[in-house]
Amino acid sequence: MKQEKILVIGASGQIGVELTLALRKIYGAANVIASDLREQNPLLEGTGPYVSLDVMNKEMLHVQVIRQNVTQIYLLAAILSATGEKNPGLAWHLNMQGLLNVLDIAREEKLTKIYWPSSIAVFGPTSPRQDCPQKTIIEPTTVYGISKYAGEFWCDYYFTKFGVDVRSLRYPGLISYKSAPGGGTTDYAVEIYIDALRDKHYDCFLEKDTYLPMMYMPDAIRATIELMEAPRENIRTRTSYNLSGMSFSPEEIAAEIKKHIPEFTIAYEPDYRQAIANSWPQSIDDSVAQQEWGWKPEYDLSAMTIDMLKHL
Ligand code: NAD
Ligand code: SER
């Protein structure tokens, strides 16, 4: 069997750091090349190869793929929801052209597998608020959500027309302690733990009763690897899979933190991100992922809070 050689694009980001480390454990450090536009994240230093790379530079990306004998790409470079609303043109350009560059190279070089994450941001105010199903009305109102939904159909198109084995998950908001989040609406659920430990207080940019779908990073990494390792014939959804972990509001996560830090206080000062959060479902139905490749989350709010506070 051919030795897989994996390129992770956007490896210095919130997901990239942990996914790169997890892939290196499975495939061997030398077979997982981390890459990013910015400098290498300190947590990756000394753990394996790193190249500086701009996914928008298709020629340079193509050269790297050939030179390094890359067989799989995990594309994580993107502009997230909150930053995207500040610069819609740039978000659209990076989120679309970056994906098209990778899909084209995958087709030309016959790469074995591609991973590209979508998001719960594909859903909009007309989607069901509770247990939002895999297939439903999807009318996103953020440029990030529009780019993710269009991207899902590009993935499906490259699979159907050219046989590119591209797989995707609609991640909920991801919570982690290793690498900082990069400009999303769900970032509050990371900041709250950091501020609780440091200041015993958090000013939250969402209202107290804003429920959103969330997931702890170890579950997200495991879901990604399980999806990528599933037999090709099991992956019958070639747009992107709904994925669910837990749902909670700022008030509920604050109450959970208070169990461990009784003096913790929270204040609510909603800003422009409230409208983004209001446009998304509160919970997600991921039964298709459960059926097709056996997805099952492990962490709930209580277990995640214990782990976050222990590690931060
Ligand atoms: P992040 O912002 O933390 O990391 C993205 C990385 O991409 C950064 O290190 C950045 O330097 C790099 N990058 C930006 N432009 C680049 C370019 N032109 N070339 C190469 N690298 C470039 O984002 P993340 O949270 O790790 O998200 C990764 C992916 O997962 C994105 O597609 C995002 O939309 C998706 N996602 C994330 C979440 C979440 O909660 N973190 C939820 C849903 C979906
Ligand atoms: N966590 C992401 C965001 O808030 C969801 O895709 O943008």
Side-chain angles (χ1 to χ4, degrees):
M1 205 172 71
K2 193 175 165 191
Q3 172 64 57
E4 296 291 346
K5 196 90 184 276
I6 296 173
L7 177 66
V8 182
I9 303 174
S12 294
Q14 188 193 8
I15 302 171
V17 168
E18 299 205 35
L19 190 55
T20 301
L21 293 172
L23 290 169
R24 283 181 174 158
K25 271 196 186 146
I26 298 169
Y27 292 94
N31 296 317
V32 181
I33 304 155
S35 74
D36 205 289
L37 194 57
R38 53 178 159 151
E39 66 213 24
Q40 178 166 212
N41 187 296
L43 292 171
L44 293 179
E45 271 167 27
T47 68
Y50 177 82
V51 293
S52 176
L53 190 148
D54 181 355
V55 72
M56 301 300 279
N57 188 335
K58 191 176 175 187
E59 284 70 34
M60 285 308 293
L61 174 60
H62 204 156
V63 166
Q64 284 292 351
V65 166
I66 293 170
R67 189 182 288 162
Q68 311 262 8
N69 294 313
V70 168
T71 61
Q72 297 187 16
I73 297 177
Y74 285 64
L75 171 57
L76 304 174
I79 289 180
L80 280 82
S81 61
T83 310
E85 289 312 289
K86 290 190 174 155
N87 200 336
L90 184 67
W92 175 257
H93 193 48
L94 173 64
N95 296 1
M96 281 296 87
Q97 197 56 51
L99 174 60
L100 288 171
N101 288 349
V102 168
L103 290 174
D104 267 345
I105 292 168
R107 175 192 172 193
E108 282 176 46
E109 298 305 326
K110 298 191 172 32
L111 302 190
T112 57
K113 278 182 219 168
I114 302 297
Y115 179 73
W116 171 83
S118 182
S119 161
I120 52 153
V122 293
F123 299 116
T126 50
S127 304
R129 299 277 284 160
Q130 306 298 338
D131 295 328
C132 188
Q134 176 74 39
K135 287 192 178 173
T136 183
I137 297 169
I138 299 189
E139 297 177 325
T141 52
T142 61
V143 67
Y144 176 67
I146 298 168
S147 72
K148 288 293 181 187
Y149 200 39
E152 289 187 6
F153 283 91
W154 277 118
C155 291
D156 192 61
Y157 184 88
Y158 270 71
F159 173 74
T160 308
K161 292 264 177 187
F162 310 123
V164 175
D165 188 355
V166 48
R167 305 177 183 200
S168 177
L169 298 171
R170 288 172 180 158
Y171 289 135
L174 299 182
I175 297 150
S176 64
Y177 57 86
K178 284 192 181 158
S179 181
T185 303
T186 55
D187 292 6
Y188 92 85
V190 178
E191 293 169 6
I192 194 170
Y193 287 109
I194 296 167
D195 286 16
L197 285 164
R198 191 186 52 208
D199 306 330
K200 313 280 180 257
H201 179 80
Y202 179 61
D203 289 322
C204 184
F205 59 75
L206 296 181
E207 288 283 13
K208 61 181 178 181
D209 55 355
T210 311
Y211 278 85
L212 285 172
M214 299 279 189
M215 179 173 281
Y216 195 32
M217 190 62 87
D219 270 347
I221 300 296
R222 188 170 54 79
T224 307
I225 289 169
E226 285 179 10
L227 173 77
M228 291 300 277
E229 291 190 341
R232 186 180 168 114
E233 60 275 14
N234 289 19
I235 308 303
R236 295 193 291 278
T237 300
R238 289 294 178 165
T239 46
S240 188
Y241 283 100
N242 274 12
L243 190 72
S244 178
M246 59 186 102
S247 285
F248 55 78
S249 63
E251 193 174 37
E252 284 181 357
I253 189 173
E256 199 60 41
I257 291 172
K258 249 174 144 7
K259 289 181 189 167
H260 304 271
I261 307 172
E263 61 274 40
F264 175 64
T265 57
I266 184 166
Y268 301 97
E269 293 170 16
D271 64 15
Y272 70 100
R273 289 168 281 194
Q274 184 66 48
I276 302 176
N278 288 348
S279 77
W280 293 346
Q282 297 185 337
S283 60
I284 299 289
D285 173 353
D286 63 0
S287 49
V288 176
Q290 292 174 33
Q291 285 153 21
E292 293 191 4
W293 49 276
W295 167 242
K296 198 169 181 293
E298 275 176 11
Y299 283 89
D300 60 11
L301 177 57
S302 159
M304 175 178 77
T305 300
I306 291 167
D307 207 58
M308 281 292 285
L309 294 175
K310 187 172 96 187
H311 284 101
L312 270 171

Short mmCIF file of all heavy atoms in Angstrom, two decimals, residues 220-278:
data_model
loop_
_atom_site.label_atom_id
_atom_site.label_comp_id
_atom_site.label_asym_id
_atom_site.label_seq_id
_atom_site.Cartn_x
_atom_site.Cartn_y
_atom_site.Cartn_z
N ALA A 220 -14.10 16.73 18.23
CA ALA A 220 -14.01 17.21 16.84
C ALA A 220 -12.85 16.54 16.10
O ALA A 220 -12.97 16.16 14.94
CB ALA A 220 -13.84 18.73 16.82
N ILE A 221 -11.73 16.37 16.80
CA ILE A 221 -10.56 15.72 16.17
C ILE A 221 -10.89 14.26 15.88
O ILE A 221 -10.60 13.74 14.80
CB ILE A 221 -9.32 15.84 17.10
CG1 ILE A 221 -8.97 17.31 17.36
CG2 ILE A 221 -8.13 15.06 16.52
CD1 ILE A 221 -8.56 18.11 16.16
N ARG A 222 -11.52 13.61 16.86
CA ARG A 222 -11.87 12.19 16.67
C ARG A 222 -12.88 12.04 15.52
O ARG A 222 -12.76 11.14 14.69
CB ARG A 222 -12.44 11.62 17.98
CG ARG A 222 -12.67 10.11 17.97
CD ARG A 222 -12.99 9.59 19.35
NE ARG A 222 -14.09 10.28 19.99
CZ ARG A 222 -15.38 10.05 19.73
NH1 ARG A 222 -15.73 9.11 18.87
NH2 ARG A 222 -16.33 10.73 20.34
N ALA A 223 -13.86 12.94 15.46
CA ALA A 223 -14.85 12.88 14.37
C ALA A 223 -14.16 13.02 13.02
O ALA A 223 -14.46 12.28 12.07
CB ALA A 223 -15.89 14.00 14.53
N THR A 224 -13.21 13.95 12.93
CA THR A 224 -12.52 14.21 11.67
C THR A 224 -11.75 12.96 11.23
O THR A 224 -11.82 12.53 10.07
CB THR A 224 -11.53 15.39 11.85
OG1 THR A 224 -12.25 16.48 12.40
CG2 THR A 224 -10.89 15.78 10.53
N ILE A 225 -11.04 12.36 12.17
CA ILE A 225 -10.22 11.19 11.83
C ILE A 225 -11.12 9.99 11.52
O ILE A 225 -10.87 9.25 10.56
CB ILE A 225 -9.20 10.93 12.95
CG1 ILE A 225 -8.15 12.06 12.90
CG2 ILE A 225 -8.54 9.56 12.80
CD1 ILE A 225 -7.22 12.11 14.07
N GLU A 226 -12.20 9.83 12.28
CA GLU A 226 -13.11 8.70 12.00
C GLU A 226 -13.76 8.86 10.62
O GLU A 226 -13.91 7.89 9.88
CB GLU A 226 -14.18 8.60 13.09
CG GLU A 226 -13.60 8.01 14.38
CD GLU A 226 -14.61 7.91 15.53
OE1 GLU A 226 -15.83 8.12 15.30
OE2 GLU A 226 -14.17 7.63 16.65
N LEU A 227 -14.15 10.08 10.29
CA LEU A 227 -14.72 10.32 8.95
C LEU A 227 -13.70 9.97 7.86
O LEU A 227 -14.02 9.30 6.88
CB LEU A 227 -15.14 11.78 8.81
CG LEU A 227 -15.60 12.18 7.40
CD1 LEU A 227 -17.01 11.70 7.12
CD2 LEU A 227 -15.52 13.69 7.20
N MET A 228 -12.47 10.44 8.05
CA MET A 228 -11.44 10.24 7.01
C MET A 228 -11.01 8.77 6.91
O MET A 228 -10.54 8.34 5.86
CB MET A 228 -10.24 11.14 7.30
CG MET A 228 -10.54 12.61 7.10
SD MET A 228 -11.06 13.00 5.40
CE MET A 228 -9.47 13.15 4.59
N GLU A 229 -11.16 8.03 7.99
CA GLU A 229 -10.75 6.62 7.94
C GLU A 229 -11.90 5.69 7.57
O GLU A 229 -11.67 4.48 7.37
CB GLU A 229 -10.12 6.23 9.28
CG GLU A 229 -8.78 6.94 9.48
CD GLU A 229 -7.98 6.44 10.65
OE1 GLU A 229 -8.56 5.79 11.54
OE2 GLU A 229 -6.77 6.70 10.67
N ALA A 230 -13.10 6.21 7.49
CA ALA A 230 -14.25 5.35 7.13
C ALA A 230 -14.10 4.87 5.69
O ALA A 230 -13.54 5.56 4.84
CB ALA A 230 -15.55 6.15 7.28
N PRO A 231 -14.59 3.65 5.39
CA PRO A 231 -14.53 3.15 4.02
C PRO A 231 -15.25 4.11 3.07
O PRO A 231 -16.30 4.67 3.42
CB PRO A 231 -15.27 1.80 4.10
CG PRO A 231 -15.28 1.44 5.54
CD PRO A 231 -15.23 2.70 6.33
N ARG A 232 -14.68 4.26 1.88
CA ARG A 232 -15.21 5.21 0.89
C ARG A 232 -16.70 5.01 0.63
O ARG A 232 -17.47 5.97 0.54
CB ARG A 232 -14.40 5.03 -0.41
CG ARG A 232 -14.72 6.03 -1.51
CD ARG A 232 -13.86 5.73 -2.74
NE ARG A 232 -14.33 6.46 -3.90
CZ ARG A 232 -13.66 7.42 -4.51
NH1 ARG A 232 -12.47 7.77 -4.11
NH2 ARG A 232 -14.17 8.03 -5.56
N GLU A 233 -17.12 3.74 0.57
CA GLU A 233 -18.52 3.47 0.22
C GLU A 233 -19.49 3.87 1.34
O GLU A 233 -20.68 4.04 1.09
CB GLU A 233 -18.70 1.98 -0.18
CG GLU A 233 -18.35 0.95 0.89
CD GLU A 233 -16.87 0.58 0.93
OE1 GLU A 233 -16.04 1.31 0.33
OE2 GLU A 233 -16.53 -0.43 1.58
N ASN A 234 -18.98 4.02 2.57
CA ASN A 234 -19.86 4.44 3.67
C ASN A 234 -20.21 5.93 3.59
O ASN A 234 -21.19 6.38 4.18
CB ASN A 234 -19.19 4.20 5.03
CG ASN A 234 -19.11 2.73 5.36
OD1 ASN A 234 -19.22 1.90 4.48
ND2 ASN A 234 -18.92 2.42 6.63
N ILE A 235 -19.35 6.69 2.91
CA ILE A 235 -19.53 8.15 2.89
C ILE A 235 -20.46 8.49 1.73
O ILE A 235 -20.04 8.76 0.61
CB ILE A 235 -18.15 8.86 2.74
CG1 ILE A 235 -17.17 8.36 3.81
CG2 ILE A 235 -18.30 10.37 2.81
CD1 ILE A 235 -17.65 8.53 5.24
N ARG A 236 -21.74 8.50 2.07
CA ARG A 236 -22.74 8.72 1.02
C ARG A 236 -23.17 10.20 0.96
O ARG A 236 -23.86 10.60 0.04
CB ARG A 236 -23.95 7.81 1.25
CG ARG A 236 -23.57 6.32 1.11
CD ARG A 236 -24.77 5.44 1.01
NE ARG A 236 -25.51 5.37 2.26
CZ ARG A 236 -25.21 4.58 3.29
NH1 ARG A 236 -24.14 3.80 3.23
NH2 ARG A 236 -25.93 4.58 4.39
N THR A 237 -22.76 10.97 1.96
CA THR A 237 -23.06 12.41 1.95
C THR A 237 -21.80 13.13 1.50
O THR A 237 -20.80 13.13 2.21
CB THR A 237 -23.48 12.87 3.36
OG1 THR A 237 -24.64 12.13 3.74
CG2 THR A 237 -23.78 14.35 3.40
N ARG A 238 -21.84 13.72 0.32
CA ARG A 238 -20.62 14.31 -0.24
C ARG A 238 -20.67 15.84 -0.23
O ARG A 238 -19.80 16.49 -0.81
CB ARG A 238 -20.38 13.77 -1.64
CG ARG A 238 -19.96 12.30 -1.61
CD ARG A 238 -18.59 12.15 -0.95
NE ARG A 238 -18.17 10.74 -0.86
CZ ARG A 238 -16.92 10.37 -0.60
NH1 ARG A 238 -15.99 11.28 -0.39
NH2 ARG A 238 -16.61 9.11 -0.52
N THR A 239 -21.73 16.40 0.39
CA THR A 239 -21.70 17.85 0.66
C THR A 239 -20.96 18.00 1.98
O THR A 239 -19.76 18.19 1.99
CB THR A 239 -23.12 18.42 0.72
OG1 THR A 239 -23.94 17.56 1.54
CG2 THR A 239 -23.72 18.57 -0.66
N SER A 240 -21.66 17.82 3.11
CA SER A 240 -21.01 17.88 4.43
C SER A 240 -21.98 17.31 5.46
O SER A 240 -23.18 17.48 5.34
CB SER A 240 -20.67 19.32 4.78
OG SER A 240 -19.88 19.38 5.95
N TYR A 241 -21.41 16.63 6.47
CA TYR A 241 -22.25 16.00 7.50
C TYR A 241 -22.57 16.94 8.65
O TYR A 241 -21.65 17.58 9.21
CB TYR A 241 -21.52 14.80 8.11
CG TYR A 241 -21.51 13.56 7.25
CD1 TYR A 241 -20.40 13.24 6.48
CD2 TYR A 241 -22.62 12.72 7.21
CE1 TYR A 241 -20.39 12.09 5.70
CE2 TYR A 241 -22.61 11.57 6.43
CZ TYR A 241 -21.49 11.26 5.68
OH TYR A 241 -21.47 10.13 4.91
N ASN A 242 -23.84 16.99 9.06
CA ASN A 242 -24.19 17.56 10.37
C ASN A 242 -23.43 16.82 11.45
O ASN A 242 -23.29 15.58 11.38
CB ASN A 242 -25.69 17.39 10.65
CG ASN A 242 -26.53 18.50 10.07
OD1 ASN A 242 -26.07 19.29 9.27
ND2 ASN A 242 -27.80 18.54 10.48
N LEU A 243 -22.97 17.54 12.46
CA LEU A 243 -22.20 16.94 13.57
C LEU A 243 -22.64 17.62 14.86
O LEU A 243 -22.65 18.84 14.93
CB LEU A 243 -20.71 17.17 13.31
CG LEU A 243 -19.74 16.42 14.20
CD1 LEU A 243 -19.73 14.94 13.84
CD2 LEU A 243 -18.33 16.99 14.04
N SER A 244 -22.97 16.81 15.86
CA SER A 244 -23.48 17.40 17.10
C SER A 244 -22.70 16.92 18.31
O SER A 244 -22.31 15.76 18.38
CB SER A 244 -24.96 17.03 17.24
OG SER A 244 -25.46 17.55 18.44
N GLY A 245 -22.46 17.82 19.24
CA GLY A 245 -21.81 17.47 20.50
C GLY A 245 -22.72 17.82 21.67
O GLY A 245 -23.25 16.97 22.37
N MET A 246 -22.91 19.13 21.88
CA MET A 246 -23.76 19.62 22.98
C MET A 246 -24.32 20.98 22.57
O MET A 246 -23.86 21.57 21.59
CB MET A 246 -22.91 19.75 24.24
CG MET A 246 -21.74 20.70 24.08
SD MET A 246 -20.62 20.73 25.50
CE MET A 246 -19.26 19.72 24.94
N SER A 247 -25.30 21.45 23.32
CA SER A 247 -25.80 22.82 23.13
C SER A 247 -25.94 23.46 24.49
O SER A 247 -26.38 22.81 25.44
CB SER A 247 -27.17 22.83 22.44
OG SER A 247 -27.05 22.54 21.08
N PHE A 248 -25.52 24.72 24.60
CA PHE A 248 -25.70 25.45 25.87
C PHE A 248 -25.73 26.94 25.59
O PHE A 248 -25.38 27.39 24.48
CB PHE A 248 -24.59 25.09 26.87
CG PHE A 248 -23.19 25.31 26.35
CD1 PHE A 248 -22.64 26.59 26.31
CD2 PHE A 248 -22.41 24.25 25.91
CE1 PHE A 248 -21.36 26.81 25.84
CE2 PHE A 248 -21.13 24.45 25.43
CZ PHE A 248 -20.60 25.74 25.39
N SER A 249 -26.13 27.70 26.61
CA SER A 249 -26.18 29.16 26.51
C SER A 249 -25.05 29.74 27.38
O SER A 249 -24.50 29.04 28.24
CB SER A 249 -27.52 29.66 27.03
OG SER A 249 -27.63 29.31 28.40
N PRO A 250 -24.71 31.03 27.21
CA PRO A 250 -23.70 31.65 28.10
C PRO A 250 -24.07 31.51 29.58
O PRO A 250 -23.20 31.26 30.42
CB PRO A 250 -23.73 33.12 27.65
CG PRO A 250 -24.09 33.05 26.21
CD PRO A 250 -25.08 31.92 26.10
N GLU A 251 -25.36 31.64 29.89
CA GLU A 251 -25.80 31.52 31.28
C GLU A 251 -25.50 30.11 31.82
O GLU A 251 -25.08 29.95 32.98
CB GLU A 251 -27.31 31.76 31.30
CG GLU A 251 -27.92 31.97 32.64
CD GLU A 251 -29.40 32.34 32.49
OE1 GLU A 251 -30.10 31.81 31.60
OE2 GLU A 251 -29.84 33.18 33.27
N GLU A 252 -25.69 29.10 30.99
CA GLU A 252 -25.46 27.72 31.44
C GLU A 252 -23.98 27.41 31.60
O GLU A 252 -23.58 26.73 32.54
CB GLU A 252 -26.10 26.73 30.45
CG GLU A 252 -27.61 26.67 30.61
CD GLU A 252 -28.26 25.68 29.66
OE1 GLU A 252 -27.56 25.06 28.84
OE2 GLU A 252 -29.49 25.54 29.76
N ILE A 253 -23.15 27.88 30.68
CA ILE A 253 -21.71 27.60 30.81
C ILE A 253 -21.16 28.38 32.03
O ILE A 253 -20.32 27.86 32.78
CB ILE A 253 -20.93 27.91 29.50
CG1 ILE A 253 -19.49 27.40 29.59
CG2 ILE A 253 -20.94 29.33 29.12
CD1 ILE A 253 -18.70 27.51 28.28
N ALA A 254 -21.69 29.57 32.26
CA ALA A 254 -21.25 30.36 33.44
C ALA A 254 -21.61 29.60 34.72
O ALA A 254 -20.80 29.53 35.66
CB ALA A 254 -21.91 31.74 33.42
N ALA A 255 -22.81 29.03 34.77
CA ALA A 255 -23.24 28.28 35.97
C ALA A 255 -22.35 27.06 36.18
O ALA A 255 -22.00 26.71 37.31
CB ALA A 255 -24.70 27.86 35.80
N GLU A 256 -21.94 26.43 35.11
CA GLU A 256 -21.06 25.26 35.20
C GLU A 256 -19.68 25.67 35.74
O GLU A 256 -19.10 24.98 36.58
CB GLU A 256 -20.94 24.63 33.80
CG GLU A 256 -20.48 23.20 33.78
CD GLU A 256 -21.38 22.23 34.54
OE1 GLU A 256 -22.61 22.34 34.44
OE2 GLU A 256 -20.82 21.37 35.25
N ILE A 257 -19.18 26.80 35.26
CA ILE A 257 -17.87 27.29 35.72
C ILE A 257 -17.95 27.67 37.21
O ILE A 257 -17.02 27.41 37.98
CB ILE A 257 -17.40 28.49 34.85
CG1 ILE A 257 -17.06 27.99 33.44
CG2 ILE A 257 -16.20 29.20 35.48
CD1 ILE A 257 -16.77 29.07 32.42
N LYS A 258 -19.07 28.26 37.60
CA LYS A 258 -19.26 28.68 39.01
C LYS A 258 -19.17 27.49 39.98
O LYS A 258 -18.81 27.66 41.14
CB LYS A 258 -20.63 29.36 39.15
CG LYS A 258 -20.55 30.86 39.41
CD LYS A 258 -21.93 31.42 39.39
CE LYS A 258 -22.23 32.52 40.36
NZ LYS A 258 -21.26 33.15 41.18
N LYS A 259 -19.49 26.31 39.49
CA LYS A 259 -19.38 25.12 40.36
C LYS A 259 -17.93 24.90 40.78
O LYS A 259 -17.65 24.33 41.82
CB LYS A 259 -19.88 23.87 39.62
CG LYS A 259 -21.37 23.83 39.39
CD LYS A 259 -21.75 22.53 38.68
CE LYS A 259 -23.21 22.55 38.24
NZ LYS A 259 -23.52 21.46 37.31
N HIS A 260 -17.00 25.34 39.93
CA HIS A 260 -15.57 25.14 40.21
C HIS A 260 -14.91 26.43 40.72
O HIS A 260 -13.93 26.38 41.45
CB HIS A 260 -14.84 24.68 38.93
CG HIS A 260 -15.45 23.44 38.34
ND1 HIS A 260 -15.05 22.18 38.72
CD2 HIS A 260 -16.46 23.27 37.45
CE1 HIS A 260 -15.77 21.28 38.05
NE2 HIS A 260 -16.64 21.91 37.29
N ILE A 261 -15.44 27.60 40.28
CA ILE A 261 -14.89 28.90 40.70
C ILE A 261 -16.08 29.72 41.23
O ILE A 261 -16.69 30.51 40.50
CB ILE A 261 -14.21 29.62 39.50
CG1 ILE A 261 -13.18 28.70 38.82
CG2 ILE A 261 -13.55 30.93 39.95
CD1 ILE A 261 -12.59 29.25 37.53
N PRO A 262 -16.44 29.53 42.50
CA PRO A 262 -17.69 30.13 43.02
C PRO A 262 -17.73 31.66 42.90
O PRO A 262 -18.81 32.24 42.77
CB PRO A 262 -17.70 29.70 44.50
CG PRO A 262 -16.80 28.50 44.54
CD PRO A 262 -15.76 28.69 43.49
N GLU A 263 -16.58 32.33 42.93
CA GLU A 263 -16.58 33.80 42.87
C GLU A 263 -16.73 34.34 41.44
O GLU A 263 -16.78 35.55 41.23
CB GLU A 263 -15.32 34.37 43.53
CG GLU A 263 -13.99 33.97 42.91
CD GLU A 263 -13.41 32.64 43.42
OE1 GLU A 263 -14.20 31.68 43.60
OE2 GLU A 263 -12.18 32.55 43.59
N PHE A 264 -16.81 33.45 40.46
CA PHE A 264 -16.90 33.88 39.05
C PHE A 264 -18.18 34.68 38.79
O PHE A 264 -19.26 34.31 39.24
CB PHE A 264 -16.87 32.64 38.14
CG PHE A 264 -17.08 32.95 36.69
CD1 PHE A 264 -16.18 33.73 35.98
CD2 PHE A 264 -18.20 32.47 36.02
CE1 PHE A 264 -16.37 34.02 34.64
CE2 PHE A 264 -18.41 32.75 34.66
CZ PHE A 264 -17.49 33.53 33.98
N THR A 265 -18.02 35.80 38.05
CA THR A 265 -19.19 36.59 37.64
C THR A 265 -19.18 36.79 36.13
O THR A 265 -18.11 36.74 35.50
CB THR A 265 -19.21 37.98 38.32
OG1 THR A 265 -17.99 38.66 38.00
CG2 THR A 265 -19.36 37.85 39.83
N ILE A 266 -20.35 37.07 35.57
CA ILE A 266 -20.45 37.30 34.13
C ILE A 266 -21.37 38.48 33.88
O ILE A 266 -22.34 38.68 34.62
CB ILE A 266 -20.95 36.02 33.39
CG1 ILE A 266 -20.97 36.22 31.88
CG2 ILE A 266 -22.30 35.54 33.90
CD1 ILE A 266 -21.11 34.93 31.07
N ALA A 267 -21.04 39.29 32.86
CA ALA A 267 -21.92 40.39 32.44
C ALA A 267 -22.16 40.23 30.94
O ALA A 267 -21.33 39.66 30.24
CB ALA A 267 -21.26 41.73 32.73
N TYR A 268 -23.32 40.73 30.49
CA TYR A 268 -23.68 40.52 29.09
C TYR A 268 -23.70 41.85 28.34
O TYR A 268 -24.41 42.79 28.73
CB TYR A 268 -25.05 39.84 29.01
CG TYR A 268 -25.04 38.49 29.72
CD1 TYR A 268 -25.49 38.37 31.04
CD2 TYR A 268 -24.52 37.35 29.10
CE1 TYR A 268 -25.45 37.16 31.71
CE2 TYR A 268 -24.47 36.14 29.76
CZ TYR A 268 -24.93 36.04 31.06
OH TYR A 268 -24.88 34.84 31.72
N GLU A 269 -22.85 41.92 27.30
CA GLU A 269 -22.80 43.13 26.47
C GLU A 269 -22.83 42.70 25.01
O GLU A 269 -21.80 42.69 24.33
CB GLU A 269 -21.50 43.91 26.76
CG GLU A 269 -21.45 44.50 28.15
CD GLU A 269 -20.07 45.05 28.51
OE1 GLU A 269 -19.25 45.26 27.60
OE2 GLU A 269 -19.83 45.24 29.71
N PRO A 270 -24.01 42.31 24.52
CA PRO A 270 -24.08 41.80 23.15
C PRO A 270 -23.63 42.82 22.11
O PRO A 270 -23.92 44.01 22.24
CB PRO A 270 -25.55 41.43 22.97
CG PRO A 270 -26.27 41.88 24.18
CD PRO A 270 -25.29 42.27 25.22
N ASP A 271 -22.90 42.34 21.10
CA ASP A 271 -22.48 43.21 20.00
C ASP A 271 -22.97 42.63 18.67
O ASP A 271 -23.93 41.85 18.65
CB ASP A 271 -20.96 43.44 20.05
CG ASP A 271 -20.15 42.15 19.81
OD1 ASP A 271 -20.73 41.15 19.34
OD2 ASP A 271 -18.93 42.15 20.09
N TYR A 272 -22.31 42.97 17.56
CA TYR A 272 -22.77 42.55 16.23
C TYR A 272 -22.84 41.03 16.08
O TYR A 272 -23.55 40.51 15.22
CB TYR A 272 -21.86 43.15 15.14
CG TYR A 272 -20.48 42.56 15.10
CD1 TYR A 272 -20.14 41.59 14.15
CD2 TYR A 272 -19.49 42.93 16.01
CE1 TYR A 272 -18.87 41.02 14.12
CE2 TYR A 272 -18.23 42.36 15.99
CZ TYR A 272 -17.93 41.41 15.05
OH TYR A 272 -16.68 40.84 15.02
N ARG A 273 -22.11 40.30 16.93
CA ARG A 273 -22.11 38.84 16.82
C ARG A 273 -23.42 38.22 17.28
O ARG A 273 -23.72 37.08 16.96
CB ARG A 273 -20.91 38.27 17.59
CG ARG A 273 -19.59 38.59 16.88
CD ARG A 273 -18.38 38.32 17.73
NE ARG A 273 -18.15 39.39 18.70
CZ ARG A 273 -17.03 39.55 19.39
NH1 ARG A 273 -16.03 38.72 19.21
NH2 ARG A 273 -16.90 40.55 20.25
N GLN A 274 -24.23 38.99 18.04
CA GLN A 274 -25.52 38.47 18.49
C GLN A 274 -26.41 38.13 17.29
O GLN A 274 -27.08 37.09 17.26
CB GLN A 274 -26.21 39.51 19.39
CG GLN A 274 -27.51 39.02 20.00
CD GLN A 274 -27.29 37.88 20.99
OE1 GLN A 274 -26.43 37.97 21.86
NE2 GLN A 274 -28.04 36.80 20.87
N ALA A 275 -26.40 39.00 16.28
CA ALA A 275 -27.25 38.76 15.10
C ALA A 275 -26.80 37.50 14.36
O ALA A 275 -27.63 36.74 13.84
CB ALA A 275 -27.18 39.97 14.17
N ILE A 276 -25.49 37.27 14.34
CA ILE A 276 -24.99 36.05 13.68
C ILE A 276 -25.48 34.83 14.45
O ILE A 276 -26.03 33.88 13.88
CB ILE A 276 -23.44 36.05 13.61
CG1 ILE A 276 -22.91 37.28 12.86
CG2 ILE A 276 -22.93 34.76 12.96
CD1 ILE A 276 -21.39 37.42 12.83
N ALA A 277 -25.30 34.87 15.79
CA ALA A 277 -25.72 33.74 16.62
C ALA A 277 -27.23 33.49 16.48
O ALA A 277 -27.67 32.33 16.41
CB ALA A 277 -25.35 34.00 18.08
N ASN A 278 -28.00 34.57 16.43
CA ASN A 278 -29.47 34.43 16.33
C ASN A 278 -29.89 33.76 15.02
O ASN A 278 -30.98 33.20 14.93
CB ASN A 278 -30.15 35.80 16.43
CG ASN A 278 -30.08 36.37 17.83
OD1 ASN A 278 -29.73 35.67 18.77
ND2 ASN A 278 -30.39 37.65 17.96
#
